[in-house]
Amino acid sequence: MPDSQQSARPNSPIAGVIGWPIAHSRSPRLHGHWLQRYGINGHYIPVPVMPEHLAEVLRAMPRMGFVGANVTIPHKESVLALADVVTDRAALIGAANTLIFRPDGKIHADNTDGYGFIANIRQNAPGWIPDLGPAAVIGAGGAARAAVASLLETGVTELRITNRTRIRAEQIRAEFGAKVVVYDWAQAGNMLEGAVTVVNATSMGMEGKPALRIPLDALAPGTLVTDLVYAPLMTPFLEEAQARGCEIVDGLGMLLHQATPGFERWFGHRPEVDDELRRIVLA
Ligand code: NAP
């Protein structure tokens, strides 16, 4: 970070997470743990913001001493239109989850979900070589777009995608390019043949929702299978993949890793993601 920005950081910086509702967010616990662990004199608080108040609140936050914020549902898309600077990846994904309120008054919007997605796999499956073969993504919502963007950045040569509502997958192909191949939802099982990486980016398997049910017969042992759902940690999809000899990575690490770039920018310390943090966030 340039010196001008370092020196502009307040003595007791405040960051937070904006969403509506916000009580469920695990981010305050996560950032609060890091602040305590590194002895940083700063604060991280949940800020409930109704959609009709978003623009007004964003304008006020820097004046109130906030150095930045995480953004969650339902504001991830709408903050893009209110930011002064939007990173290329946030623009491509169509959503931002991390805001930096710069000393010059400008709001900088980034998306770190794709970073968190890849960092989670690399930490938990260090032998993973993403460009050895096709990647297969199930789902085409906001989280899927982040996974697609980051997988393409790792150099995968073919990115297969399927979604219940096919048009959303077609849209991703139109925006992300010719390496993206759309499979029909009814053909989801075929998409897994020869894949090196398989991702559930739907909300199926979350607590209170039915399991994701697609035929996994084509999954080869050793395939890296990951689920973006993290409640529960062990989804039926991951259970079945593990029973087939696949290497599995749960979705909690993505949530933890996506938080690290924001924490570093706001509080000046690169935080670590480890088992202690997992335990604290799950508690
Ligand atoms: P989203 O934009 O609402 O997308 C939801 C996706 O799930 C869409 O592809 C949707 O398909 C699919 N879906 C929903 N109900 C379905 C059903 N009954 N059958 C088949 N497909 C169905 O949500 P999102 O933000 O992408 O989040 C998706 C999941 O990722 C959530 O569980 C979220 O908690 C998780 N997530 C995790 C992290 C992390 O850090 N680990 C980060 C972000 C999100 P249609 O298009 O057909 O509706």
Side-chain angles (χ1 to χ4, degrees):
M1 186 183 290
D3 282 349
S4 60
Q5 288 186 33
Q6 289 271 6
S7 56
R9 188 179 296 118
N11 287 337
S12 182
I14 312 168
V17 54
I18 57 172
W20 184 266
I22 198 64
H24 66 280
S25 173
R26 297 182 196 221
S27 295
R29 189 181 297 181
L30 167 59
H31 287 272
H33 169 74
W34 280 333
L35 287 170
Q36 198 178 19
R37 182 198 280 188
Y38 302 117
I40 295 171
N41 182 19
H43 307 275
Y44 186 99
I45 54 174
V47 185
V49 182
M50 289 167 79
E52 56 269 40
H53 296 156
L54 180 63
E56 203 182 328
V57 171
L58 277 186
R59 268 194 305 274
M61 286 177 88
R63 295 178 205 147
M64 293 166 66
F66 280 84
V67 291
N70 286 123
V71 185
T72 188
I73 294 167
H75 305 313
K76 286 174 109 169
E77 290 85 20
S78 28
V79 289
L80 291 184
L82 300 166
D84 300 293
V85 183
V86 175
T87 61
D88 290 346
R89 59 188 172 185
L92 188 62
I93 293 165
N97 68 345
T98 305
L99 302 179
I100 293 147
F101 303 140
R102 299 195 325 201
D104 63 5
K106 296 220 170 4
I107 298 178
H108 177 276
D110 194 8
N111 191 312
T112 64
D113 276 340
Y115 164 79
F117 171 76
I118 296 291
N120 180 35
I121 302 178
R122 291 211 185 280
Q123 183 174 41
N124 292 292
W128 179 57
I129 307 175
D131 52 359
L132 265 188
V137 175
I138 305 157
R145 294 175 74 92
V148 166
S150 59
L151 282 166
L152 288 171
E153 264 179 32
T154 66
V156 299
T157 49
E158 183 184 328
L159 195 139
R160 303 170 179 172
I161 188 163
T162 189
N163 193 48
R164 177 182 61 171
T165 310
R166 185 180 167 111
I167 186 88
R168 294 182 86 188
E170 300 280 7
Q171 189 65 38
I172 288 181
R173 186 190 138 74
E175 290 173 34
F176 287 79
K179 286 181 183 166
V180 178
V181 181
V182 177
Y183 281 66
D184 202 68
W185 186 241
Q187 302 296 316
N190 299 350
M191 179 176 87
L192 309 183
E193 181 129 25
V196 164
T197 313
V198 174
V199 185
N200 173 32
T202 74
S203 46
M204 303 304 288
M206 268 173 83
E207 275 162 14
K209 284 209 163 208
L212 174 69
R213 291 285 173 218
I214 62 170
L216 300 187
D217 312 299
L219 263 188
T223 307
L224 188 289
V225 177
T226 185
D227 202 323
L228 304 198
V229 170
Y230 54 83
L233 278 183
M234 194 62 163
T235 60
F237 174 67
L238 287 183
E239 264 170 13
E240 191 177 340
Q242 189 175 48
R244 288 175 181 276
C246 297
E247 185 167 22
I248 60 161
V249 175
D250 69 54
L252 182 63
M254 175 176 169
L255 178 78
L256 307 182
H257 281 284
Q258 62 77 31
T260 62
F263 188 91
E264 183 175 16
R265 284 297 295 263
W266 305 323
F267 300 115
H269 187 99
R270 183 83 180 171
E272 266 174 78
V273 172
D274 56 16
D275 286 344
E276 188 192 3
L277 183 69
R278 276 177 73 91
R279 275 195 302 278
I280 282 165
V281 171
L282 286 174

